[in-house]
Amino acid sequence: MLATANLLLRLMPDFNNVDEKVVNSIVILLFGLLTSLGLRVFYIKSRVIEKSLSRMVLPVLICSLISTSAMALFMLSIVSLLHSTNPDYDSALGHMNIISNIIGLYPITLIWSCIYLGVQSLQRWKQVESEKLSLQLALKEAQLNTLIGQINPHFMFNSLNNIRALMLEDINQARASITQLSNVMRHALSADKKSHIPLEQELKVIVEFIAISGIQYEGRLKFKSKVDDQLLHVLIPPMMIQMLVENAIKHGISLVKGGGVLSLEINKQADLIFIQVCNPGSLKPSSATSTSTNIGLHNIRKRLQLLYGSSASLELSEADETVIATLIFPIQSHHS
């Protein structure tokens, strides 16, 4: 490019210095734009950007050489045309002059090709990563919705039957239970619309869930909770604690003749929230309950893995005829 510009300056004595610089600038700019446009069209049409690096090298080298040669020939032809009436003009289309200009321009064209393809490769990589992330998020959301939807359907039917029986004994309590059941089911149906809800909202639903369950178990089910008030606005996955409570009632309280106390304790350690659900019972599986228990716990663990990866866990332990479910995951607030 510089060699051609110098040649233009030497071979244009009929123009003053300002005119020579203007003409050179226009010629160089025009052919530079045409060359870059041609290269872009070729790279797009031939889909060079989609090839592997090893298969990209040869087309780039050849195309850059061809475009450089064409650019040099056209520019030198313009120079010859401008000075065709000059008797002292020494032709710019000599073989050595053409070769020297090609050698001078080729590295510049090659560098431009590398920069262009590098930028295009980066943009394409970002687009692919964005699409991949979108697919992963869509898959994760679908998996979460499926897992949340695997709620024990018998709870609703049992609750309706219990409320129907209660209407013959205490109509006011039956009405209150219908409202509570409505709130619990509304919460369940809306759980797939949000990945996290405030702990306080989940606790309100759990209290209503316990109240409805208490109709069936009457005095056999007692509930107590101990929750750090500072955690009430922490965001948690919806229905996760409720599923643990339901599991504790179905596979713990219901199997103990005299029932017992179901306790819920929630506190924090560092940047983790610790949730413990305790119920009387044993971890020894029975043929009637082991399968459904494992499915429920598997669903919870799968949701934890999808939401938090290795930062969350669910562990079961037994001590003094008490089963303890410990749920741990990172604290997330409204402002995070």
Side-chain angles (χ1 to χ4, degrees), residues 309-320:
S310 60
S311 301
S313 64
L314 170 63
E315 300 295 337
L316 292 183
S317 60
E318 181 181 346
D320 300 327

Side-chain angles (χ1 to χ4, degrees), residues 11-292:
L11 298 178
M12 299 178 67
D14 296 334
F15 296 93
N16 58 43
N17 290 335
V18 175
D19 292 333
E20 291 176 0
K21 292 179 180 179
V22 171
V23 171
N24 276 281
S25 298
I26 293 174
V27 171
I28 293 172
L29 178 61
L30 176 62
F31 283 100
L33 290 174
L34 290 176
T35 301
S36 63
L37 177 61
L39 285 171
R40 280 198 297 268
V41 171
F42 171 79
Y43 291 145
I44 293 172
K45 293 291 185 181
S46 61
R47 297 185 176 180
V48 173
I49 195 66
E50 299 178 9
K51 302 180 185 294
S52 63
L53 183 60
S54 58
R55 297 180 61 187
M56 189 187 298
V57 172
L58 186 59
V60 171
L61 291 175
I62 294 176
C63 186
S64 297
L65 179 60
I66 293 174
S67 60
T68 299
S69 301
M71 179 179 177
L73 285 172
F74 277 113
M75 290 181 66
L76 292 174
S77 297
I78 293 296
V79 171
S80 297
L81 181 62
L82 290 174
H83 295 277
S84 58
T85 58
N86 186 354
D88 299 326
Y89 167 67
D90 188 11
S91 176
L93 294 174
H95 294 298
M96 293 304 298
N97 194 42
I98 294 174
I99 292 174
S100 64
N101 275 271
I102 292 175
I103 294 175
L105 289 170
Y106 183 61
I108 299 174
T109 308
L110 195 59
I111 291 173
W112 181 92
S113 295
C114 292
I115 293 174
Y116 173 77
L117 292 174
V119 171
Q120 293 299 312
S121 297
L122 181 60
Q123 291 178 347
R124 185 170 181 270
W125 176 80
K126 288 182 177 180
Q127 181 179 357
V128 171
E129 288 297 310
S130 177
E131 293 174 353
K132 186 185 299 184
L133 180 60
S134 298
L135 288 174
Q136 290 176 346
L137 290 175
L139 176 61
K140 183 177 290 188
E141 182 178 358
Q143 289 175 323
L144 285 173
N145 292 343
T146 300
L147 293 171
I148 291 173
Q150 294 181 4
I151 305 168
N152 183 9
H154 300 293
F155 167 74
M156 182 177 67
F157 301 116
N158 290 338
S159 299
L160 290 174
N161 287 330
N162 293 331
I163 292 173
R164 183 183 64 177
L166 183 62
M167 291 179 69
L168 301 176
E169 303 175 4
D170 189 339
I171 188 65
N172 292 328
Q173 180 61 39
R175 289 174 178 172
S177 298
I178 291 175
T179 301
Q180 292 169 340
L181 178 61
S182 174
N183 291 336
V184 171
M185 297 311 300
R186 185 184 299 110
H187 178 68
L189 292 174
S190 63
D192 63 339
K193 295 180 174 62
K194 296 181 180 180
S195 62
H196 294 80
I197 62 172
L199 173 61
E200 185 176 20
Q201 180 179 338
E202 179 82 357
L203 292 176
K204 289 179 180 178
V205 176
I206 289 174
V207 170
E208 294 183 312
F209 179 84
I210 293 289
I212 297 171
S213 301
I215 301 174
Q216 177 180 353
Y217 297 102
E218 296 180 343
R220 295 175 56 208
L221 173 59
K222 298 179 178 63
F223 177 68
K224 66 177 184 179
S225 63
K226 182 181 179 181
V227 180
D228 186 344
D229 292 340
Q230 295 182 350
L231 299 176
L232 291 178
H233 298 293
V234 167
L235 298 179
I236 66 168
M239 296 195 66
M240 193 167 286
I241 302 177
Q242 181 182 328
M243 292 176 71
L244 286 179
V245 169
E246 182 178 1
N247 187 76
I249 294 174
K250 184 177 180 180
H251 305 295
I253 300 294
S254 67
L255 301 180
V256 179
K257 185 176 181 180
V261 177
L262 189 156
S263 64
L264 172 64
E265 184 173 345
I266 303 177
N267 52 52
K268 67 175 181 178
Q269 296 182 19
D271 58 346
L272 297 175
I273 184 170
F274 280 69
I275 301 171
Q276 283 192 332
V277 177
C278 304
N279 62 271
S282 172
L283 286 177
K284 294 180 181 179
S286 65
S287 59
T289 62
S290 60
T291 301
S292 58

